[in-house]
Amino acid sequence: MSFFKKFSTAISKIRGKAAFDVAYIEDILIEADFGIGLAARLASAIGSEAEILEKLKANIEAIVASLISDLKIDNSKKPFVIVLCGVNGSGKTTTVAKLAHLLTRQGNTVDIVACDTFRIAATEQLTFWAEKLRCRIFKSDSKREPASLAFDAIERTKSDVLIVDTAGRLQNNSNLMDELAKLYRVLGRFDASAPHMNILIIDATSGQNVIEQVEEFQKVRAISGIIIAKMDGAAKGGTIVRIADEFKLQILGVGTGEKEFDLERFSIDKFLKDLAKL
Ligand SMILES: Nc1nc2c(ncn2[C@@H]2O[C@H](COP(=O)(O)OP(=O)(O)OP(=O)(O)O)[C@@H](O)[C@H]2O)c(=O)[nH]1
Ligand SMILES: [Mg+2]
């Protein structure tokens, strides 16, 4: 049942009752992945059934509005290095393509690096995008160390921007984090301020464990901002508000499909409308 449908059901259920049923609204928000604490806060701010949607919108706006931001490149850095990190399948490689497309259209030259050397298919996937978007790709045929490939790329690129794709899965999680740490260190050896952006890609449909994901990746290196992929398929978009509320991370975009142009600025109105459509 849709989010708004549930809300109207909730409204009709409580209509006629003497007491306004905040707990019911709270349950619905929890189900939509807002998390227990935030759901309670948002629900308790609603004083009457008449103001449910209006209050919800205003309070979500208060949490996310100042965090919505466009991706900005500092052209005094050459190359401007962007690393995309995130758990496996979250949408990193597709987002590399989306950012390469966006930044190329904005007049930058863009190279990409296939640092998910663990899986051959990952390199093939990025090669497809590099050909389609006419970007130079740095890649390796063997399972070369991601950090060493990244160093090679940052040293050799002549482009304005270098986008680094990373692995989401290795033998185990600590290996993954160690590899990432090494990658950041090596980039920093070439340019102490690199990577200039470290973007965490979150799958909008992944629900419950997003907070742990942010915490884990933050431990390795500060996150400059997040991009929420698969918002087009998200049944429970509360995730994005929850992350904004807990970490105050910039929301640099939302993925709305599998094509290179399916990257949009996060819109609160569209978010609420999409929830209503599901
Ligand atoms: N509908 C939709 N699908 C997406 C979006 N972003 C990525 N996908 C799809 O999600 C799947 C995983 O995306 P990838 O970009 O390969 O994810 P990844 O994080 O690189 O995955 P690993 O390299 O395995 O860790 C692919 O089938 C993508 O086409 C999006 O915004 N919307
Ligand atoms: Mg990938």
Side-chain angles (χ1 to χ4, degrees), residues 140-192:
S140 119
D141 296 331
S142 58
K143 287 187 177 175
R144 187 171 165 189
E145 238 194 5
S148 131
L149 179 60
F151 190 78
D152 204 32
I154 196 174
E155 221 180 17
R156 285 168 51 203
T157 182
K158 304 254 186 307
S159 287
D160 302 321
V161 182
L162 185 69
I163 309 178
V164 183
D165 189 23
T166 65
R169 192 203 311 256
L170 285 183
Q171 292 90 339
N172 61 51
N173 200 38
S174 72
N175 266 343
L176 176 70
M177 296 304 174
D178 289 349
E179 284 285 6
L180 263 181
K182 201 189 265 178
L183 183 116
Y184 295 130
R185 267 201 314 276
V186 159
L187 290 170
R189 221 173 278 155
F190 182 84
D191 170 356

Side-chain angles (χ1 to χ4, degrees), residues 94-116:
T94 311
T95 309
V96 168
K98 292 174 182 179
L99 293 182
H101 177 68
L102 172 79
L103 294 170
T104 306
R105 275 183 40 213
Q106 290 174 355
N108 300 285
T109 49
V110 179
D111 286 355
I112 56 186
V113 200
C115 279
D116 183 355

Side-chain angles (χ1 to χ4, degrees), residues 92-93 116 119 122 125 165-166:
K92 295 177 293 299
T93 305
D116 183 355
R119 290 184 309 117
Q125 188 188 356
D165 189 23
T166 65

